[in-house]
Amino acid sequence: MFAENPIRFKKIDYLELNPKAKENYNFHQMAAILSNYGYN
Protein backbone atom coordinates (compact mmCIF):
# COMPACT_ATOMS: atom_id res chain seq x y z
CA MET A 1 0.00 0.00 0.00
CA PHE A 2 2.75 2.48 0.94
CA ALA A 3 6.01 2.73 -0.98
CA GLU A 4 9.18 2.41 1.04
CA ASN A 5 10.77 5.79 1.74
CA PRO A 6 14.16 5.88 -0.07
CA ILE A 7 15.43 8.93 1.87
CA ARG A 8 18.10 8.06 4.42
CA PHE A 9 19.40 10.59 6.92
CA LYS A 10 22.81 10.41 8.51
CA LYS A 11 24.45 12.44 11.22
CA ILE A 12 26.89 15.08 10.08
CA ASP A 13 30.28 15.90 11.52
CA TYR A 14 30.04 19.48 12.77
CA LEU A 15 33.78 20.05 12.37
CA GLU A 16 33.58 19.35 8.63
CA LEU A 17 31.02 22.11 7.96
CA ASN A 18 31.97 25.43 6.42
CA PRO A 19 31.27 28.60 8.48
CA LYS A 20 27.94 29.37 6.78
CA ALA A 21 26.71 25.80 7.33
CA LYS A 22 27.79 25.98 10.99
CA GLU A 23 25.80 29.18 11.45
CA ASN A 24 22.75 27.57 9.85
CA TYR A 25 23.16 24.44 12.00
CA ASN A 26 23.46 26.50 15.21
CA PHE A 27 20.41 28.59 14.31
CA HIS A 28 18.24 25.51 13.81
CA GLN A 29 19.53 23.92 17.02
CA MET A 30 18.57 27.02 19.01
CA ALA A 31 15.20 27.25 17.24
CA ALA A 32 14.47 23.65 18.22
CA ILE A 33 15.42 24.31 21.86
CA LEU A 34 13.32 27.49 22.06
CA SER A 35 10.32 25.79 20.45
CA ASN A 36 10.35 23.29 23.32
CA TYR A 37 9.60 26.24 25.61
CA GLY A 38 6.80 27.63 23.44
CA TYR A 39 8.67 30.21 21.41
CA ASN A 40 8.09 30.29 17.68
Side-chain angles (χ1 to χ4, degrees):
M1 183 170 192
F2 293 103
E4 187 175 322
N5 188 354
I7 298 175
R8 300 283 182 234
F9 294 101
K10 63 178 182 172
K11 287 192 176 247
I12 59 168
D13 185 14
Y14 182 80
L15 296 175
E16 293 181 5
L17 296 176
N18 63 41
K20 180 66 176 170
K22 285 181 181 179
E23 175 123 9
N24 194 26
Y25 178 87
N26 290 335
F27 171 81
H28 285 89
Q29 290 290 359
M30 285 304 299
I33 291 169
L34 291 173
S35 71
N36 288 334
Y37 292 98
Y39 294 93
N40 57 11

